Amino acid sequence: MNRRAIFAIVRKDLKVASQNKGVLVPFIVLAVVFYVLVPWLTRLVPLFEDAAGDMLSGVDKLLTRMPAGFQQEFSGLNLPQTLIVYLLKYQMAPMFLLVPLLVALTIAADSFAGEKERKTMEALLYTPTTDRELFIAKLLSGWVTAIAVAWMGFVVYSVMANAAAWPHMGRIFFPNAMWVVMILWVVPAIAGLGVGAMVLASSRAQGFQDANQLGGVVVLPIVVLFYMQVAGAMAFNVVVVLLLGLGIWLLTGLFIWLGSRTFRRNRALAG
């Protein structure tokens, strides 16, 4: 395997993505909203005691449907503390997975579809690499970037969450074991799933927007997870996250296997 050629393509893709405002600006906005703005919005809880009380009654009803271990974490917490822990530690968990997924989808959409728009696809396909090596290079471009963004974002989010909640919590409450497992186990899987699906889509799409539309369906399961937790149909914990990661890894492996079996550079050029 020509590793030198693979990493050369990866470096080129990352350089192009970092210079593309259409790719870079959404990343920055997304990171600021998820990692900084959302934690600091919890500082507004005391300003809306009536609304917070109504929300707390809804949370209490939700907690009664959750496992005993989940309910135990909220015992002894006052109103602001309950809302902070519920929102930042649990409701944000499925939404946090959107970040690496969207980063992976965007970078991967630019992998082939972006090359076609920039009229550089033909030169890329004539590089001294096999179809498999070219496919791996395009996978790595989005995969590595998505994981790096999510892991750095996790550090920022942890600092922001604890700093914003300190007046109410008076201690470091974040992260817990569930979040650590999610970051180390699920994030690489969800990033791989997004990249695998999008590289397949973008290799057949005519342009960046077409590829985004084809691969955007991968976001739907994350939205479903969010609404399932809101409705009390499930609760994120270590076991759920481990099983979720296992399922996503299996899907990721399937997409990558299908991609490596079906990708042909002549088809990508014709697509």
Side-chain angles (χ1 to χ4, degrees):
M1 185 175 293
N2 191 345
R3 296 181 181 179
R4 186 173 180 178
I6 290 174
F7 288 119
I9 294 173
V10 171
R11 286 194 299 270
K12 187 268 297 179
D13 283 351
L14 297 183
K15 181 180 179 180
V16 170
S18 66
Q19 296 173 344
N20 186 342
K21 292 183 180 180
V23 173
L24 194 60
V25 172
F27 287 178
I28 296 174
V29 173
L30 196 66
V32 171
V33 170
F34 276 89
Y35 302 150
V36 179
L37 184 60
V38 170
W40 283 97
L41 284 176
T42 59
R43 294 293 292 269
L44 301 177
V45 169
L47 301 179
F48 304 98
E49 289 290 343
D50 294 337
D54 294 338
M55 183 181 288
L56 183 62
S57 64
V59 171
D60 284 337
K61 293 179 182 178
L62 181 63
L63 293 178
T64 59
R65 301 197 294 269
M66 297 297 185
F70 188 90
Q71 299 177 36
Q72 186 176 0
E73 184 170 356
F74 292 87
S75 62
L77 299 181
N78 59 31
L79 184 148
Q81 292 173 336
T82 299
L83 290 177
I84 287 169
V85 172
Y86 175 72
L87 293 173
L88 295 185
K89 191 180 286 186
Y90 291 100
Q91 284 301 95
M92 275 298 293
M95 297 304 293
F96 192 93
L97 294 177
L98 277 177
V99 177
L101 181 58
L102 291 175
V103 171
L105 289 172
T106 304
I107 296 293
D110 194 54
S111 62
F112 287 109
E115 298 276 4
K116 294 175 184 178
E117 290 185 344
R118 293 187 294 269
K119 310 300 182 182
T120 57
M121 174 61 85
E122 187 170 354
L124 174 68
L125 296 181
Y126 285 115
T127 56
T129 56
T130 64
D131 290 344
R132 183 184 179 190
E133 290 167 349
L134 184 57
F135 182 77
I136 291 173
K138 291 299 185 179
L139 279 178
L140 288 177
S141 299
W143 205 341
V144 171
T145 304
I147 294 173
V149 169
W151 285 358
M152 289 187 292
F154 172 64
V155 174
V156 174
Y157 182 80
S158 298
V159 172
M160 293 295 103
N162 286 301
W166 187 266
H168 303 297
M169 301 299 297
R171 60 184 174 86
I172 295 176
F173 77 102
F174 186 92
N176 60 359
M178 180 269 291
W179 269 83
V180 174
V181 173
M182 187 178 76
I183 293 300
L184 297 178
W185 173 243
V186 182
V187 163
I190 200 76
L193 177 62
V195 170
M198 184 57 83
V199 168
L200 280 174
S202 63
S203 65
R204 291 163 171 78
Q206 293 296 325
F208 183 82
Q209 294 300 325
D210 291 339
N212 262 327
Q213 292 172 3
L214 289 171
V217 69
V218 183
V219 175
L220 293 179
I222 303 299
V223 177
V224 171
L225 287 175
F226 172 75
Y227 280 107
M228 286 179 65
Q229 181 151 283
V230 169
M234 64 168 289
F236 267 45
N237 55 41
V238 173
V239 175
V240 169
V241 169
L242 284 171
L243 293 176
L244 176 65
L246 179 60
I248 296 174
W249 273 116
L250 292 174
L251 285 175
T252 298
L254 176 62
F255 272 105
I256 293 176
W257 179 79
L258 287 174
S260 64
R261 297 276 293 180
T262 61
F263 173 75
R264 297 294 182 271
R265 62 181 65 206
N266 59 333
R267 293 179 186 173
L269 181 61

